[in-house]
Amino acid sequence: MIGAMVQRVREVLIFLFLALFAKANGSEKPNHWGRSESVRLPPPPPPPPLTQEENASYCLSWRLAVEANNVRAWRTVPVQCLRYVETYMIGGQYEKDVALIVDQILSYAGGIVVSGDGLDAWVFDVDDTCISNVFYYKGKRYGCDPYDPSGFRAWAIRGGCPAVPGMLDLFNKLVDMGFKIFLVTGRDEENLGQSTIDNLHNQGFQTYERLILRTAAYKGQSAVTYKSDIRNQLVKQGYRIWGNVGDQWSDLQGECLGNRTFKLPNPMYFVP
């Protein structure tokens, strides 16, 4: 008899535990057999949308994190930052930021004693360093849309990129100082070589030492690997790379970076 009572107490305790567990995870209602069943509570309402001021603050923080390389391998601009990036790129602040960087480059370059042997060099990227793709990216919602290789190729073949504000003046001043300028771009030589040359020339970039485009030998390599190898070749040829200018961190990472690197702003896309 005692064993039966113990078993009965055990069953009651188990029942009470299951009942408490069901209440902790939702309410109960009787089904059509008269038994109780657990009902999930509705999810909490979504948080209220950000105010315009809060959204602008978030997008400013996002852009600064991108420029500091703290946000990496991002595929698209956050949709809520479309108007912020548009305003930044065409509202005047982008030009002011580039102008400040140009001043820093010229201040640094002015302190270099050029040897006169023709081996003092600077390396420049091309896209959004020398010539701008902002009009193309306007049609891609300033980077909110995913990268479109065929669309960008068609744009580049047209050769309609304007010079990045302030960069042609910087280019010419460095040449006048006696530096050799090497333009190193990830653009495909076979398909975009001539259109890139024509575009650079019609925007005034004509007195560079050499334009280096991606050949079949570098197909599939990351920008860091490809550009590191190109810079390494220049160093082996005896060139002293005093400065390296680009809009992507992948322009400024790897080997043979040069004495100093300068990053131009670009919140529209990321090149690994």
Side-chain angles (χ1 to χ4, degrees), residues 57-70:
S57 179
Y58 167 78
C59 294
L60 171 60
S61 298
W62 177 84
R63 183 177 66 81
L64 291 178
V66 163
E67 298 299 349
N69 204 28
N70 291 324

PDB file of all heavy atoms in Angstrom, residues 57-70:
ATOM      1  N   SER A  57      22.120  59.754 -37.860  1.00  0.00           N
ATOM      2  CA  SER A  57      23.195  59.444 -36.916  1.00  0.00           C
ATOM      3  C   SER A  57      23.728  58.035 -37.159  1.00  0.00           C
ATOM      4  O   SER A  57      24.948  57.809 -37.158  1.00  0.00           O
ATOM      5  CB  SER A  57      22.688  59.580 -35.481  1.00  0.00           C
ATOM      6  OG  SER A  57      23.701  59.260 -34.559  1.00  0.00           O
ATOM      7  N   TYR A  58      22.808  57.069 -37.355  1.00  0.00           N
ATOM      8  CA  TYR A  58      23.235  55.699 -37.633  1.00  0.00           C
ATOM      9  C   TYR A  58      24.055  55.630 -38.916  1.00  0.00           C
ATOM     10  O   TYR A  58      25.116  54.984 -38.967  1.00  0.00           O
ATOM     11  CB  TYR A  58      22.025  54.768 -37.754  1.00  0.00           C
ATOM     12  CG  TYR A  58      22.394  53.431 -38.352  1.00  0.00           C
ATOM     13  CD1 TYR A  58      23.019  52.460 -37.576  1.00  0.00           C
ATOM     14  CD2 TYR A  58      22.161  53.167 -39.697  1.00  0.00           C
ATOM     15  CE1 TYR A  58      23.399  51.242 -38.127  1.00  0.00           C
ATOM     16  CE2 TYR A  58      22.534  51.943 -40.262  1.00  0.00           C
ATOM     17  CZ  TYR A  58      23.158  50.985 -39.470  1.00  0.00           C
ATOM     18  OH  TYR A  58      23.534  49.789 -40.025  1.00  0.00           O
ATOM     19  N   CYS A  59      23.611  56.293 -39.984  1.00  0.00           N
ATOM     20  CA  CYS A  59      24.296  56.223 -41.275  1.00  0.00           C
ATOM     21  C   CYS A  59      25.667  56.897 -41.223  1.00  0.00           C
ATOM     22  O   CYS A  59      26.608  56.446 -41.878  1.00  0.00           O
ATOM     23  CB  CYS A  59      23.430  56.840 -42.370  1.00  0.00           C
ATOM     24  SG  CYS A  59      21.912  55.890 -42.679  1.00  0.00           S
ATOM     25  N   LEU A  60      25.777  57.965 -40.445  1.00  0.00           N
ATOM     26  CA  LEU A  60      27.084  58.581 -40.248  1.00  0.00           C
ATOM     27  C   LEU A  60      28.028  57.603 -39.561  1.00  0.00           C
ATOM     28  O   LEU A  60      29.184  57.434 -39.980  1.00  0.00           O
ATOM     29  CB  LEU A  60      26.944  59.853 -39.411  1.00  0.00           C
ATOM     30  CG  LEU A  60      28.262  60.504 -38.941  1.00  0.00           C
ATOM     31  CD1 LEU A  60      29.127  60.901 -40.127  1.00  0.00           C
ATOM     32  CD2 LEU A  60      27.973  61.713 -38.057  1.00  0.00           C
ATOM     33  N   SER A  61      27.547  56.927 -38.530  1.00  0.00           N
ATOM     34  CA  SER A  61      28.368  55.940 -37.823  1.00  0.00           C
ATOM     35  C   SER A  61      28.756  54.801 -38.750  1.00  0.00           C
ATOM     36  O   SER A  61      29.899  54.322 -38.722  1.00  0.00           O
ATOM     37  CB  SER A  61      27.618  55.396 -36.599  1.00  0.00           C
ATOM     38  OG  SER A  61      27.350  56.418 -35.670  1.00  0.00           O
ATOM     39  N   TRP A  62      27.794  54.353 -39.583  1.00  0.00           N
ATOM     40  CA  TRP A  62      28.085  53.269 -40.538  1.00  0.00           C
ATOM     41  C   TRP A  62      29.169  53.699 -41.523  1.00  0.00           C
ATOM     42  O   TRP A  62      30.120  52.946 -41.784  1.00  0.00           O
ATOM     43  CB  TRP A  62      26.807  52.876 -41.279  1.00  0.00           C
ATOM     44  CG  TRP A  62      27.042  51.817 -42.316  1.00  0.00           C
ATOM     45  CD1 TRP A  62      27.094  50.466 -42.116  1.00  0.00           C
ATOM     46  CD2 TRP A  62      27.288  52.029 -43.713  1.00  0.00           C
ATOM     47  NE1 TRP A  62      27.364  49.832 -43.300  1.00  0.00           N
ATOM     48  CE2 TRP A  62      27.484  50.751 -44.296  1.00  0.00           C
ATOM     49  CE3 TRP A  62      27.365  53.164 -44.516  1.00  0.00           C
ATOM     50  CZ2 TRP A  62      27.736  50.600 -45.653  1.00  0.00           C
ATOM     51  CZ3 TRP A  62      27.625  53.011 -45.869  1.00  0.00           C
ATOM     52  CH2 TRP A  62      27.806  51.736 -46.432  1.00  0.00           C
ATOM     53  N   ARG A  63      29.056  54.904 -42.063  1.00  0.00           N
ATOM     54  CA  ARG A  63      30.055  55.358 -43.046  1.00  0.00           C
ATOM     55  C   ARG A  63      31.441  55.477 -42.420  1.00  0.00           C
ATOM     56  O   ARG A  63      32.440  55.084 -43.023  1.00  0.00           O
ATOM     57  CB  ARG A  63      29.639  56.705 -43.656  1.00  0.00           C
ATOM     58  CG  ARG A  63      30.598  57.201 -44.724  1.00  0.00           C
ATOM     59  CD  ARG A  63      30.133  58.494 -45.352  1.00  0.00           C
ATOM     60  NE  ARG A  63      30.138  59.607 -44.426  1.00  0.00           N
ATOM     61  CZ  ARG A  63      31.231  60.310 -44.098  1.00  0.00           C
ATOM     62  NH1 ARG A  63      32.408  59.997 -44.610  1.00  0.00           N
ATOM     63  NH2 ARG A  63      31.139  61.321 -43.256  1.00  0.00           N
ATOM     64  N   LEU A  64      31.518  56.018 -41.214  1.00  0.00           N
ATOM     65  CA  LEU A  64      32.808  56.141 -40.549  1.00  0.00           C
ATOM     66  C   LEU A  64      33.408  54.769 -40.267  1.00  0.00           C
ATOM     67  O   LEU A  64      34.629  54.578 -40.390  1.00  0.00           O
ATOM     68  CB  LEU A  64      32.662  56.941 -39.259  1.00  0.00           C
ATOM     69  CG  LEU A  64      32.353  58.428 -39.430  1.00  0.00           C
ATOM     70  CD1 LEU A  64      32.174  59.099 -38.071  1.00  0.00           C
ATOM     71  CD2 LEU A  64      33.453  59.136 -40.211  1.00  0.00           C
ATOM     72  N   ALA A  65      32.571  53.802 -39.904  1.00  0.00           N
ATOM     73  CA  ALA A  65      33.065  52.437 -39.679  1.00  0.00           C
ATOM     74  C   ALA A  65      33.579  51.818 -40.966  1.00  0.00           C
ATOM     75  O   ALA A  65      34.585  51.094 -40.966  1.00  0.00           O
ATOM     76  CB  ALA A  65      31.955  51.575 -39.074  1.00  0.00           C
ATOM     77  N   VAL A  66      32.911  52.113 -42.085  1.00  0.00           N
ATOM     78  CA  VAL A  66      33.374  51.630 -43.389  1.00  0.00           C
ATOM     79  C   VAL A  66      34.729  52.238 -43.730  1.00  0.00           C
ATOM     80  O   VAL A  66      35.662  51.531 -44.143  1.00  0.00           O
ATOM     81  CB  VAL A  66      32.330  51.968 -44.478  1.00  0.00           C
ATOM     82  CG1 VAL A  66      32.949  51.862 -45.878  1.00  0.00           C
ATOM     83  CG2 VAL A  66      31.129  51.044 -44.374  1.00  0.00           C
ATOM     84  N   GLU A  67      34.859  53.550 -43.565  1.00  0.00           N
ATOM     85  CA  GLU A  67      36.113  54.217 -43.918  1.00  0.00           C
ATOM     86  C   GLU A  67      37.267  53.782 -43.010  1.00  0.00           C
ATOM     87  O   GLU A  67      38.426  53.782 -43.426  1.00  0.00           O
ATOM     88  CB  GLU A  67      35.942  55.741 -43.859  1.00  0.00           C
ATOM     89  CG  GLU A  67      34.921  56.304 -44.837  1.00  0.00           C
ATOM     90  CD  GLU A  67      35.246  56.032 -46.295  1.00  0.00           C
ATOM     91  OE1 GLU A  67      36.371  55.578 -46.604  1.00  0.00           O
ATOM     92  OE2 GLU A  67      34.369  56.254 -47.144  1.00  0.00           O
ATOM     93  N   ALA A  68      36.949  53.403 -41.773  1.00  0.00           N
ATOM     94  CA  ALA A  68      37.978  52.938 -40.841  1.00  0.00           C
ATOM     95  C   ALA A  68      38.270  51.446 -41.006  1.00  0.00           C
ATOM     96  O   ALA A  68      39.094  50.890 -40.276  1.00  0.00           O
ATOM     97  CB  ALA A  68      37.559  53.229 -39.406  1.00  0.00           C
ATOM     98  N   ASN A  69      37.577  50.817 -41.949  1.00  0.00           N
ATOM     99  CA  ASN A  69      37.744  49.385 -42.229  1.00  0.00           C
ATOM    100  C   ASN A  69      37.303  48.513 -41.062  1.00  0.00           C
ATOM    101  O   ASN A  69      37.788  47.400 -40.884  1.00  0.00           O
ATOM    102  CB  ASN A  69      39.196  49.052 -42.599  1.00  0.00           C
ATOM    103  CG  ASN A  69      39.294  47.776 -43.441  1.00  0.00           C
ATOM    104  OD1 ASN A  69      38.368  47.433 -44.167  1.00  0.00           O
ATOM    105  ND2 ASN A  69      40.418  47.092 -43.344  1.00  0.00           N
ATOM    106  N   ASN A  70      36.371  49.024 -40.267  1.00  0.00           N
ATOM    107  CA  ASN A  70      35.796  48.226 -39.196  1.00  0.00           C
ATOM    108  C   ASN A  70      34.590  47.428 -39.672  1.00  0.00           C
ATOM    109  O   ASN A  70      34.242  46.408 -39.065  1.00  0.00           O
ATOM    110  CB  ASN A  70      35.389  49.129 -38.026  1.00  0.00           C
ATOM    111  CG  ASN A  70      36.598  49.709 -37.322  1.00  0.00           C
ATOM    112  OD1 ASN A  70      37.620  49.049 -37.185  1.00  0.00           O
ATOM    113  ND2 ASN A  70      36.510  50.955 -36.897  1.00  0.00           N
TER     114      ASN A  70
END
